[in-house]
Amino acid sequence: MISTVKDLAAEALFVSCLQPSERPSRETVEDAITTMILRYGSDGCAAGVALEFGDHPDVAVQRMTWARSELTEVLVPRVSVLR
């Protein structure tokens, strides 16, 4: 069971097609997360993560580390600069 929004976002990014080598923008990451949640729901995202950890644990750990690091920037509120 997912305990936080950050966990759900990490799982959604994990199951997306984005790759760390693409160095995706904040908007691209946000879009991928939204798309995966709408497509698979929280249970489907969690199932995809579980499958990868079962089949390829070494790669899955690296991918989840990347996904969580991407969220550090995404979950910080955008600050608009007033001039």
Side-chain angles (χ1 to χ4, degrees), residues 52-66:
E52 285 303 310
F53 269 91
D55 291 346
H56 310 285
D58 51 331
V59 177
V61 168
Q62 293 172 352
R63 183 154 178 87
M64 185 55 79
T65 300
W66 167 76

PDB file of all heavy atoms in Angstrom, residues 52-66:
ATOM      1  N   GLU A  52       9.497  -5.581 -11.551  1.00  0.00           N
ATOM      2  CA  GLU A  52      10.892  -5.275 -11.883  1.00  0.00           C
ATOM      3  C   GLU A  52      11.847  -5.632 -10.755  1.00  0.00           C
ATOM      4  O   GLU A  52      12.940  -6.127 -10.996  1.00  0.00           O
ATOM      5  CB  GLU A  52      11.041  -3.804 -12.268  1.00  0.00           C
ATOM      6  CG  GLU A  52      10.513  -3.497 -13.643  1.00  0.00           C
ATOM      7  CD  GLU A  52      11.183  -4.332 -14.732  1.00  0.00           C
ATOM      8  OE1 GLU A  52      12.427  -4.388 -14.785  1.00  0.00           O
ATOM      9  OE2 GLU A  52      10.452  -4.926 -15.535  1.00  0.00           O
ATOM     10  N   PHE A  53      11.430  -5.374  -9.510  1.00  0.00           N
ATOM     11  CA  PHE A  53      12.290  -5.745  -8.385  1.00  0.00           C
ATOM     12  C   PHE A  53      12.439  -7.257  -8.289  1.00  0.00           C
ATOM     13  O   PHE A  53      13.479  -7.760  -7.874  1.00  0.00           O
ATOM     14  CB  PHE A  53      11.780  -5.153  -7.067  1.00  0.00           C
ATOM     15  CG  PHE A  53      12.366  -3.812  -6.764  1.00  0.00           C
ATOM     16  CD1 PHE A  53      11.727  -2.652  -7.177  1.00  0.00           C
ATOM     17  CD2 PHE A  53      13.563  -3.704  -6.083  1.00  0.00           C
ATOM     18  CE1 PHE A  53      12.273  -1.399  -6.909  1.00  0.00           C
ATOM     19  CE2 PHE A  53      14.123  -2.462  -5.803  1.00  0.00           C
ATOM     20  CZ  PHE A  53      13.471  -1.305  -6.222  1.00  0.00           C
ATOM     21  N   GLY A  54      11.415  -7.994  -8.689  1.00  0.00           N
ATOM     22  CA  GLY A  54      11.502  -9.452  -8.681  1.00  0.00           C
ATOM     23  C   GLY A  54      12.368  -9.991  -9.805  1.00  0.00           C
ATOM     24  O   GLY A  54      13.152 -10.924  -9.612  1.00  0.00           O
ATOM     25  N   ASP A  55      12.239  -9.386 -10.986  1.00  0.00           N
ATOM     26  CA  ASP A  55      12.969  -9.872 -12.162  1.00  0.00           C
ATOM     27  C   ASP A  55      14.388  -9.321 -12.274  1.00  0.00           C
ATOM     28  O   ASP A  55      15.296 -10.014 -12.720  1.00  0.00           O
ATOM     29  CB  ASP A  55      12.206  -9.515 -13.446  1.00  0.00           C
ATOM     30  CG  ASP A  55      10.908 -10.281 -13.605  1.00  0.00           C
ATOM     31  OD1 ASP A  55      10.706 -11.276 -12.874  1.00  0.00           O
ATOM     32  OD2 ASP A  55      10.086  -9.874 -14.451  1.00  0.00           O
ATOM     33  N   HIS A  56      14.565  -8.069 -11.936  1.00  0.00           N
ATOM     34  CA  HIS A  56      15.858  -7.392 -12.122  1.00  0.00           C
ATOM     35  C   HIS A  56      16.173  -6.499 -10.922  1.00  0.00           C
ATOM     36  O   HIS A  56      16.217  -5.272 -11.051  1.00  0.00           O
ATOM     37  CB  HIS A  56      15.842  -6.540 -13.390  1.00  0.00           C
ATOM     38  CG  HIS A  56      15.351  -7.251 -14.599  1.00  0.00           C
ATOM     39  ND1 HIS A  56      16.103  -8.183 -15.265  1.00  0.00           N
ATOM     40  CD2 HIS A  56      14.161  -7.195 -15.251  1.00  0.00           C
ATOM     41  CE1 HIS A  56      15.404  -8.658 -16.290  1.00  0.00           C
ATOM     42  NE2 HIS A  56      14.220  -8.075 -16.297  1.00  0.00           N
ATOM     43  N   PRO A  57      16.396  -7.070  -9.749  1.00  0.00           N
ATOM     44  CA  PRO A  57      16.568  -6.249  -8.543  1.00  0.00           C
ATOM     45  C   PRO A  57      17.729  -5.261  -8.614  1.00  0.00           C
ATOM     46  O   PRO A  57      17.617  -4.139  -8.116  1.00  0.00           O
ATOM     47  CB  PRO A  57      16.775  -7.268  -7.431  1.00  0.00           C
ATOM     48  CG  PRO A  57      17.140  -8.540  -8.104  1.00  0.00           C
ATOM     49  CD  PRO A  57      16.535  -8.492  -9.469  1.00  0.00           C
ATOM     50  N   ASP A  58      18.835  -5.645  -9.234  1.00  0.00           N
ATOM     51  CA  ASP A  58      19.986  -4.747  -9.303  1.00  0.00           C
ATOM     52  C   ASP A  58      19.672  -3.491 -10.109  1.00  0.00           C
ATOM     53  O   ASP A  58      19.997  -2.375  -9.701  1.00  0.00           O
ATOM     54  CB  ASP A  58      21.210  -5.469  -9.865  1.00  0.00           C
ATOM     55  CG  ASP A  58      20.911  -6.186 -11.178  1.00  0.00           C
ATOM     56  OD1 ASP A  58      19.756  -6.597 -11.390  1.00  0.00           O
ATOM     57  OD2 ASP A  58      21.834  -6.341 -11.998  1.00  0.00           O
ATOM     58  N   VAL A  59      19.014  -3.652 -11.227  1.00  0.00           N
ATOM     59  CA  VAL A  59      18.649  -2.518 -12.071  1.00  0.00           C
ATOM     60  C   VAL A  59      17.506  -1.721 -11.435  1.00  0.00           C
ATOM     61  O   VAL A  59      17.479  -0.495 -11.500  1.00  0.00           O
ATOM     62  CB  VAL A  59      18.258  -3.000 -13.485  1.00  0.00           C
ATOM     63  CG1 VAL A  59      17.816  -1.842 -14.359  1.00  0.00           C
ATOM     64  CG2 VAL A  59      19.419  -3.745 -14.125  1.00  0.00           C
ATOM     65  N   ALA A  60      16.574  -2.418 -10.804  1.00  0.00           N
ATOM     66  CA  ALA A  60      15.424  -1.760 -10.188  1.00  0.00           C
ATOM     67  C   ALA A  60      15.847  -0.813  -9.068  1.00  0.00           C
ATOM     68  O   ALA A  60      15.280   0.276  -8.923  1.00  0.00           O
ATOM     69  CB  ALA A  60      14.431  -2.798  -9.675  1.00  0.00           C
ATOM     70  N   VAL A  61      16.836  -1.205  -8.299  1.00  0.00           N
ATOM     71  CA  VAL A  61      17.321  -0.336  -7.217  1.00  0.00           C
ATOM     72  C   VAL A  61      17.871   0.963  -7.811  1.00  0.00           C
ATOM     73  O   VAL A  61      17.570   2.061  -7.325  1.00  0.00           O
ATOM     74  CB  VAL A  61      18.389  -1.043  -6.358  1.00  0.00           C
ATOM     75  CG1 VAL A  61      19.095  -0.061  -5.442  1.00  0.00           C
ATOM     76  CG2 VAL A  61      17.766  -2.170  -5.563  1.00  0.00           C
ATOM     77  N   GLN A  62      18.638   0.859  -8.872  1.00  0.00           N
ATOM     78  CA  GLN A  62      19.200   2.044  -9.516  1.00  0.00           C
ATOM     79  C   GLN A  62      18.095   2.932 -10.087  1.00  0.00           C
ATOM     80  O   GLN A  62      18.137   4.157  -9.965  1.00  0.00           O
ATOM     81  CB  GLN A  62      20.168   1.652 -10.626  1.00  0.00           C
ATOM     82  CG  GLN A  62      21.411   0.975 -10.119  1.00  0.00           C
ATOM     83  CD  GLN A  62      22.273   0.432 -11.246  1.00  0.00           C
ATOM     84  OE1 GLN A  62      21.877   0.429 -12.412  1.00  0.00           O
ATOM     85  NE2 GLN A  62      23.448  -0.056 -10.897  1.00  0.00           N
ATOM     86  N   ARG A  63      17.089   2.307 -10.697  1.00  0.00           N
ATOM     87  CA  ARG A  63      16.004   3.082 -11.300  1.00  0.00           C
ATOM     88  C   ARG A  63      15.181   3.788 -10.222  1.00  0.00           C
ATOM     89  O   ARG A  63      14.801   4.947 -10.391  1.00  0.00           O
ATOM     90  CB  ARG A  63      15.114   2.201 -12.163  1.00  0.00           C
ATOM     91  CG  ARG A  63      14.018   3.004 -12.858  1.00  0.00           C
ATOM     92  CD  ARG A  63      13.565   2.352 -14.124  1.00  0.00           C
ATOM     93  NE  ARG A  63      12.503   3.088 -14.759  1.00  0.00           N
ATOM     94  CZ  ARG A  63      12.674   4.089 -15.620  1.00  0.00           C
ATOM     95  NH1 ARG A  63      13.893   4.467 -15.949  1.00  0.00           N
ATOM     96  NH2 ARG A  63      11.646   4.696 -16.161  1.00  0.00           N
ATOM     97  N   MET A  64      14.902   3.109  -9.109  1.00  0.00           N
ATOM     98  CA  MET A  64      14.118   3.750  -8.050  1.00  0.00           C
ATOM     99  C   MET A  64      14.919   4.880  -7.412  1.00  0.00           C
ATOM    100  O   MET A  64      14.353   5.925  -7.063  1.00  0.00           O
ATOM    101  CB  MET A  64      13.682   2.735  -6.999  1.00  0.00           C
ATOM    102  CG  MET A  64      12.768   3.328  -5.938  1.00  0.00           C
ATOM    103  SD  MET A  64      11.279   4.157  -6.579  1.00  0.00           S
ATOM    104  CE  MET A  64      10.240   2.742  -6.908  1.00  0.00           C
ATOM    105  N   THR A  65      16.219   4.709  -7.281  1.00  0.00           N
ATOM    106  CA  THR A  65      17.062   5.789  -6.755  1.00  0.00           C
ATOM    107  C   THR A  65      16.971   7.004  -7.666  1.00  0.00           C
ATOM    108  O   THR A  65      16.822   8.144  -7.200  1.00  0.00           O
ATOM    109  CB  THR A  65      18.520   5.314  -6.615  1.00  0.00           C
ATOM    110  OG1 THR A  65      18.550   4.197  -5.714  1.00  0.00           O
ATOM    111  CG2 THR A  65      19.428   6.414  -6.098  1.00  0.00           C
ATOM    112  N   TRP A  66      17.029   6.773  -8.959  1.00  0.00           N
ATOM    113  CA  TRP A  66      16.891   7.862  -9.930  1.00  0.00           C
ATOM    114  C   TRP A  66      15.509   8.513  -9.823  1.00  0.00           C
ATOM    115  O   TRP A  66      15.397   9.742  -9.779  1.00  0.00           O
ATOM    116  CB  TRP A  66      17.128   7.345 -11.352  1.00  0.00           C
ATOM    117  CG  TRP A  66      16.698   8.331 -12.391  1.00  0.00           C
ATOM    118  CD1 TRP A  66      17.368   9.464 -12.761  1.00  0.00           C
ATOM    119  CD2 TRP A  66      15.491   8.305 -13.155  1.00  0.00           C
ATOM    120  NE1 TRP A  66      16.639  10.139 -13.723  1.00  0.00           N
ATOM    121  CE2 TRP A  66      15.494   9.438 -13.982  1.00  0.00           C
ATOM    122  CE3 TRP A  66      14.427   7.416 -13.243  1.00  0.00           C
ATOM    123  CZ2 TRP A  66      14.460   9.720 -14.874  1.00  0.00           C
ATOM    124  CZ3 TRP A  66      13.395   7.693 -14.119  1.00  0.00           C
ATOM    125  CH2 TRP A  66      13.406   8.832 -14.934  1.00  0.00           C
TER     126      TRP A  66
END
